[in-house]
Amino acid sequence: MALRVSQCVFAAASAAAMSSAFGSLNYSAYFYLDTALTLQFLWSMGFACRDIFALRNKKDLHTAPELILIFNIGDWVLAILMFWASCAAASVTIFFRKDVKFCAEYWRLPCTQFELSVALAFITWLLQAVSSFSGFWLLVSLL
């Protein structure tokens, strides 16, 4: 549950930093990252609610390997999606900051917010990857 709540918090923080940045949705990599972060937040929030419900009602969620397999596939797909989105946004941010020096020329371009959002997105991806590997380990242990 703590892993899912952490994913929600970092995804929400990254999406908030990206969405509040001026002109961020004009660039496709940042729009893709914002979309992936929204999906990540919804996915993790759903699982966090499921885990809280199971803990509160003393239910065992590890009884159906088929269900765990479906959730694990979703975790892996979302982890890959988050990695692609984070890398795309990071490459655009590096391009703006280092290659063409847009951040120095255009003072209205919030490069610091872009960098913060990308860093939080990579942390979100790392947490999602840990969740994916732990789900795979759980699935293998049940079979």
Side-chain angles (χ1 to χ4, degrees), residues 13-27:
S14 180
M18 185 60 72
S19 296
S20 66
F22 173 75
S24 65
L25 300 181
N26 294 335
Y27 305 103

Side-chain angles (χ1 to χ4, degrees), residues 102-122:
F102 274 175
C103 297
E105 277 185 50
Y106 302 107
W107 57 271
R108 290 190 65 185
L109 196 63
C111 291
T112 307
Q113 280 184 283
F114 294 157
E115 290 170 352
L116 174 66
S117 179
V118 168
L120 292 172
F122 271 110

